[in-house]
Amino acid sequence: MAEKKITEREVTRRSLLAGAGGAIGGLVVGGLAGTALAPKSTATTGGGGSKGTIKVVGVFPLSGAIASDGKEMEQGTRMAVDEINAAGGLVGYKLQYVAIDDKDSNTDQITTAFNRAVSVEKADVIFSGYHLASGPEFDIVANAGALYYNVNTQIAWVKRYTGNPSKYWGIFQTDPTEEWYGRGFAVWADQALRAGILNVRDTTASIIKGQSAYGTVIGNGFEDEIKKRGWTVVSSDGISEGQVPDWGPVLSKVKDLRPSVLFTSDFSPADDAKMAQSWAAGPTKTLVYQQYGPSVPEYLNLAKDAANGMIWATVLGLLPDSIGNDFRKRYAAKFSQQPGWANAGGCYDTVNVWAQAVRMTANPKDYKAVAKATEQVVWRGTTGSISFENHTGRQYPSQTSDASLGQPHIIVQVQDGQYKVFYPEPFTNGKFVLPSWMR
C-alpha cells in the first residue's frame, strides 16, 4: 500500500508526542486523546443536550467466545461517551448510548445486531471493535446511509472500500490492517539478527497459522516477508482458533525441526495461553511469537509463568506513555480493573476520532459532512496518531515513517509477568532479552 503524502498537515513529531494540541490545516488535533475531556467523576450522565441527543450504538461480542475482548471494547467505548457527556456534551448535544451484544459474532448474529442498530435504534453513529465473521455489517450500514467506526483490522475492508468508495463513504477502520502483523515482525526479526540483538544459529522459521481469514493473512504476510529477506521456512501448519486446541502434535514437529523463530497467528488468548504452557513443558532454542492474544488480560491469568519470554504484538496497542498511562489510571478508577493492551484504548480512541469530526462540522446529523471531516482528522490517541488512508488507519513505522501520523505496531515481550514494549522507538518501555530457554 503506497504511503500518501500529507504535506499540508505536517507537524513535528515532538509536538504531537508531547501531547500538545495544535492546528493542522485548519483542524484541531486532540493532544491528550480525550484526556482534556476527562471528568472528575465517572457518572454516565452529564451536561449538554440543549440541541437534543445523538444516538450512539455499540455492537460488541459480550457473551460469546471472545467475551473477554468484547468487554474491553464496550468499556472503552462507554468510557469515551461518558467523558464527553460529563464534559458538557458534544456541540450542544447529549450522547445517548446503547450497547448491543452480537454474542459469538457469527454472520447471523452480526446481521441481527446491525439491523437492530440501523432500523430499531436508528443510530446516528455505530461503533464496534472486531467481529469473528466480519463482513455482513458493511452493506447493512452502507445501505442505511449510516456512520460506522470499527477496529476490524482487515485488509479485506481496504479492498472493499477502494472497490466502491461512493457506497462505503460512512465507514472507517480506525487501525491498520492485519497484514502488518506478519510483515512487521519479519522486518524486526531480520533486523535484530543482523544487529546481533537476536542471537540465533541460523535463519530458519516455522509458522503455525490460524485458519481464519484473519490468521491466514497474517501468517502469509510473515512467510512472504521473511522469505524475501533470505530466511528459510522449514514448516508451515494450520490450527483452528478459539477451540483451545491440543498443541502437542504441532509443537512437537516444530521442536524436532528446531527453527530459530516460531511465528504463530492464533489470536485467541485462551489458545495462546495453552500453547505457552505446552511450549514451556519442553522448549527448544527457538524464539516464539504469539500474535495478538496476549494483549487480553485473560492470557496472563491462564498462562501464568509459562508466558515469560514470549513475544507478541499488536497494530492497535495501548501505549506505555503519558497518554496511555493516564488512560489506564482513569479506566481502572472507572471499572476497578486495568485495561488490556488493545481494544479498550482502541475503542476509546475511535469514539474520540468521530467526536473530533463532529466538532469540525458542528452538525452530528449531517453524516456525509462528518465522514468528510473524519478523512482529515489526525487524532493523537492512546494507541498513537490516527490518520486515514482509504478509510483505514496508518501503521508506523512500515506504512509511514512519521510517528505523528501513524499508530505504532508495538512488539512486546513478557518479562517476569510484565509487558515490555521493545519496538518501535520512541514508544518503548523496555528492551528485548533472550528468553530463558534460549540462553
Side-chain angles (χ1 to χ4, degrees), residues 358-408:
V358 170
R359 294 184 191 102
M360 290 160 60
T361 64
N363 184 359
K365 306 294 183 174
D366 188 342
Y367 305 148
K368 286 197 172 182
V370 174
K372 276 293 183 186
T374 303
E375 292 175 348
Q376 301 304 314
V377 165
V378 181
W379 182 263
R380 176 49 164 102
T382 69
T383 61
S385 294
I386 302 170
S387 67
F388 295 97
E389 180 178 338
N390 294 324
H391 283 213
T392 301
R394 291 180 175 87
Q395 187 255 33
Y396 169 82
S398 296
Q399 192 178 14
T400 175
S401 59
D402 187 341
S404 69
L405 293 176
Q407 290 162 282

Side-chain angles (χ1 to χ4, degrees), residues 43-59:
T44 58
T45 59
S50 61
K51 294 182 181 179
T53 60
I54 304 171
K55 191 65 171 290
V56 176
V57 175
V59 179

Side-chain angles (χ1 to χ4, degrees), residues 72-134:
E72 295 269 303
M73 302 170 196
E74 195 281 326
Q75 290 184 166
T77 301
R78 176 156 43 101
M79 180 171 167
V81 168
D82 286 352
E83 288 184 355
I84 290 169
N85 276 337
L90 185 61
V91 296
Y93 292 81
K94 180 180 177 181
L95 276 56
Q96 181 185 355
Y97 173 64
V98 174
I100 299 174
D101 181 8
D102 70 352
K103 302 174 184 177
D104 282 312
S105 195
N106 63 39
T107 300
D108 289 344
Q109 292 166 336
I110 294 168
T111 300
T112 298
F114 276 82
N115 277 330
R116 174 184 161 188
V118 300
S119 300
V120 179
E121 300 297 342
K122 300 188 184 306
D124 290 307
V125 62
I126 303 169
F127 296 105
S128 76
Y130 65 82
H131 307 288
L132 293 185
S134 290

Side-chain angles (χ1 to χ4, degrees), residues 13 23 26-27 41 45 51 56 85 108 120 138 152 159 166 192 250 258 266 278 284 292 310 379 382 396-397:
R13 180 182 300 180
L27 314 185
S41 69
T45 59
K51 294 182 181 179
V56 176
N85 276 337
D108 289 344
V120 179
F138 296 121
N152 271 311
K159 294 175 181 177
S166 63
V250 69
R258 296 177 178 269
D266 185 328
S278 183
T284 58
Y292 163 84
M310 291 290 174
W379 182 263
T382 69
Y396 169 82

